[in-house]
Amino acid sequence: MYSETTRGIKVTVEPVYLDEQSSPNDGHFVWAYHVRIENGSAATVQLRARHWRITDAQGRRKDVKGPGVVGEQPVLKPGEAFEYSSGTPLPTPSGFMVGTYQMETDSGETFEIAIPAFSLDQPDRPGRLN
């Protein structure tokens, strides 16, 4: 698991390689990742947007931006948490992801929190990149 805390908001990510959805002979490798966002701050916040930077083993980068996560823009009061799962394919057996969430307080202040960089590696593969 990978974790990072910004302004009292902790983001934890756990990636899992999906062997049954991957086809290594066709250059198709798939990972799921589970995210937990915990509001340890004193403010109520809403997750407004996401920005992911996904990099494969060849250094090719894909940016993914959009409102909320999995169709939601959750509101987190102090002490509350939100969890979701998503996934990403890569054309290589390893890579990594990192990003930010744009948050907004109930008073209208917007700020970014860090999503920790996490490694995507096909299990039991020699010469792992990450």
Side-chain angles (χ1 to χ4, degrees), residues 4-11 37-39 45 103 111 113:
E4 189 151 349
T5 302
T6 309
R7 291 181 58 161
I9 302 168
K10 182 178 180 181
V11 178
I37 304 163
E38 301 173 67
N39 185 4
V45 295
M103 308 299 283
F111 61 96
I113 62 170

Side-chain angles (χ1 to χ4, degrees), residues 3 17 19 30 41 66 75 79 81-82 89 100 109 118-119 128-129:
S3 293
Y17 180 70
D19 190 49
V30 181
S41 76
V75 174
F82 177 78
T100 57
E109 176 195 2
F118 59 95
S119 183
R128 289 167 52 153
L129 174 70

Side-chain angles (χ1 to χ4, degrees), residues 6-122:
T6 309
R7 291 181 58 161
I9 302 168
K10 182 178 180 181
V11 178
T12 303
V13 182
E14 184 174 8
V16 177
Y17 180 70
L18 300 178
D19 190 49
E20 67 281 358
Q21 292 184 26
S22 298
S23 179
N25 291 338
D26 297 324
H28 185 73
F29 304 86
V30 181
W31 287 264
Y33 53 90
H34 183 78
V35 179
R36 179 176 171 86
I37 304 163
E38 301 173 67
N39 185 4
S41 76
T44 296
V45 295
Q46 183 171 17
L47 192 158
R48 289 295 192 179
R50 71 191 182 286
H51 178 194
W52 287 104
R53 290 178 299 283
I54 306 165
T55 306
D56 71 16
Q58 300 297 316
R60 294 174 290 215
R61 184 171 126 178
K62 177 178 163 184
D63 285 75
V64 178
K65 298 179 181 183
V69 290
V70 293
E72 297 187 50
Q73 293 183 322
V75 174
L76 300 172
K77 294 178 182 174
E80 290 185 340
F82 177 78
E83 297 185 42
Y84 73 95
S85 294
S86 191
T88 191
L90 287 179
T92 59
S94 64
F96 66 92
M97 292 177 64
V98 66
T100 57
Y101 292 128
Q102 182 188 66
M103 308 299 283
E104 184 176 344
T105 65
D106 51 3
S107 64
E109 176 195 2
T110 60
F111 61 96
E112 289 189 346
I113 62 170
I115 303 168
F118 59 95
S119 183
L120 303 170
D121 292 300
Q122 181 186 21

